[in-house]
């Protein structure tokens, strides 16, 4: 049998070539010539070709998740805005200074978290502002930093009001905050109606 004969020849060649780096394969078996060729393996090439596609899919998925997180953060902060401004209007209207009113909001939120309350992005930024002021950052600057971090127009507007109050003083700040809160509550109701209509449309 030719296959058995070839197997015996290869075994002899392998034994003779054990101490050598190369092994010469037989060119014929009996009177019949033999042609040797490499067996191609395309799995590696397929993997290399698929890698860019996989990277793009993973990257797109991460970008989509990050975009969703940004939208969720903005939505939550917009929902909390009316209560924050309303509380500031109430506290400053009662004679409390802006920094003290700010500390009161931060302290109340901290207590809620200790009782297992949910994390709120806007209040986390308020806490960070308090930490900045405690570390020596000027109050007006800390409020400006607050507005920049929030990256939402209404919070930027609030930070401008508060920083100007620190720099120049404003006896009518409680009134301005009340007007801001009233507008924010109306805007939130409008947004809630829009979300409700979108939900009904999807159903």
């Amino acid at each position: 049998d030719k296959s058995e004969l070839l197997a015996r020849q290869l075994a002899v060649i392998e034994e003779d070539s054990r101490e050598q780096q190369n092994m010469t394969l037989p060119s014929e078996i009996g009177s019949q010539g033999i042609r040797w060729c490499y067996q191609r393996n395309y799995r590696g090439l397929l993997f290399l070709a698929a890698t860019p596609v996989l990277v793009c899919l993973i990257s797109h998925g991460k970008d989509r998740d990050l975009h969703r997180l940004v939208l969720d953060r903005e939505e939550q902060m917009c929902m909390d805005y009316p209560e924050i401004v309303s509380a500031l209007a109430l506290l400053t209207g009662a004679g409390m200074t802006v920094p003290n009113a700010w500390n009161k909001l931060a302290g109340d939120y901290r207590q809620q978290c200790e009782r297992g309350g949910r994390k709120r992005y806007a209040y986390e930024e308020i806490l960070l502002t308090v930490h900045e002021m405690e570390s020596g950052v000027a109050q007006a600057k800390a409020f400006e930093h607050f507005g920049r971090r929030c990256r939402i127009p209404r919070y930027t507007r609030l930070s401008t009001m508060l920083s100007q109050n620190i720099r120049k003083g404003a006896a009518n700040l409680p009134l301005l905050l009340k007007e801001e809160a009233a507008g924010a509550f109306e805007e939130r109701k409008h947004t809630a109606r829009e979300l409700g209509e979108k939900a009904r449309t999807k159903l």
Side-chain angles (χ1 to χ4, degrees):
D1 184 74
K2 291 182 180 180
S3 60
E4 293 180 357
L5 180 58
L6 178 61
R8 287 197 296 271
Q9 281 187 263
L10 289 174
V12 171
I13 293 172
E14 184 179 4
E15 182 65 28
D16 294 341
S17 306
R18 190 178 298 277
E19 303 297 328
Q20 301 176 12
Q21 291 184 347
N22 299 317
M23 182 176 76
T24 303
L25 296 173
S27 59
E28 60 182 25
I29 176 171
S31 60
Q32 185 175 358
I34 301 175
R35 182 184 176 191
W36 299 91
C37 62
Y38 290 103
Q39 182 178 1
R40 298 185 181 274
N41 186 344
Y42 293 99
R43 285 181 297 178
L45 292 176
L46 288 173
F47 178 77
L48 288 175
T51 297
V53 178
L54 292 173
V55 169
C56 288
L57 290 173
I58 293 171
S59 177
H60 179 69
K62 288 182 177 179
D63 288 345
R64 187 172 54 195
D65 291 343
L66 180 60
H67 182 63
R68 182 68 257 171
L69 285 174
V70 170
L71 290 179
D72 289 345
R73 173 185 181 272
E74 183 174 336
E75 183 178 312
Q76 187 197 84
M77 291 181 74
C78 288
M79 293 297 289
D80 286 341
Y81 183 73
E83 279 86 2
I84 290 172
V85 180
S86 181
L88 287 172
L90 183 64
L91 294 170
T92 55
M96 194 175 285
T97 64
V98 168
N100 287 340
W102 199 261
N103 287 335
K104 178 75 167 59
L105 291 181
D108 290 346
Y109 171 68
R110 191 182 290 113
Q111 290 179 2
Q112 290 177 12
C113 289
E114 290 172 355
R115 293 195 294 267
R118 182 186 172 196
K119 177 182 176 180
R120 312 297 296 180
Y121 293 108
Y123 287 92
E124 289 291 327
E125 295 297 345
I126 290 174
L127 272 177
L128 183 53
T129 306
V130 170
H131 295 326
E132 277 192 329
M133 289 189 285
E134 289 175 345
S135 66
V137 177
Q139 293 173 347
K141 280 289 183 185
F143 286 124
E144 290 173 1
H145 296 167
F146 168 78
R148 291 195 198 105
R149 287 194 308 271
C150 291
R151 298 193 302 274
I152 299 175
R154 62 194 71 181
Y155 280 93
T156 304
R157 192 165 58 242
L158 174 63
S159 71
T160 300
M161 278 194 288
L162 298 179
S163 62
Q164 286 181 351
N165 175 264
I166 296 296
R167 287 195 169 99
K168 303 176 183 177
N172 64 337
L173 179 65
L175 178 60
L176 294 174
L177 290 171
K178 283 181 182 178
E179 292 174 352
E180 181 72 14
F185 276 115
E186 284 299 319
E187 191 171 349
R188 190 171 75 175
K189 284 193 289 186
H190 178 70
T191 301
R193 282 196 298 270
E194 285 186 342
L195 292 174
E197 289 172 0
K198 286 181 181 179
R200 283 196 295 273
T201 302
K202 288 181 180 180
L203 290 174

